[in-house]
Amino acid sequence: MDEFKVRSYTKKELALFYFPDANPHTAVNRLMRWINRNAPLLVGLEGLGYCKTARWFTSREVRLIVEHLGEP
């Protein structure tokens, strides 16, 4: 994959950075499981206006995810 940059990503794009060898659907499920199990991250995302049905993460949400999960 390309070098990671903080910007807006679809859930699929971001998930494939974290799980490059996984099927896209599986990668999204794994990423969302990581996010949902990390209470401080989930609270922070909700504070930024995150909606679980959104197809995109904003650049601010991506930055917060990277702060909590590390760079992919």
Side-chain angles (χ1 to χ4, degrees):
M1 285 223 128
D2 299 327
E3 184 177 323
F4 184 78
K5 296 177 184 160
V6 173
R7 63 171 181 82
S8 295
Y9 287 99
T10 65
K11 286 182 178 178
K12 181 173 90 172
E13 287 176 317
L14 185 60
L16 287 172
F17 269 108
Y18 280 98
F19 305 100
D21 297 327
N23 170 297
H25 182 74
T26 302
V28 170
N29 286 343
R30 287 180 183 171
L31 177 60
M32 297 315 299
R33 192 174 314 128
W34 280 13
I35 290 171
N36 289 322
R37 289 181 178 173
N38 188 322
L41 171 56
L42 192 55
V43 168
L45 287 171
E46 289 169 351
L48 293 174
Y50 168 74
C51 176
K52 69 179 184 176
T53 59
R55 295 187 66 189
W56 288 80
F57 288 115
T58 66
S59 59
R60 290 179 18 203
E61 291 168 346
V62 170
R63 184 173 293 111
L64 186 63
I65 290 168
V66 170
E67 286 175 10
H68 284 271
L69 300 181
E71 191 171 309

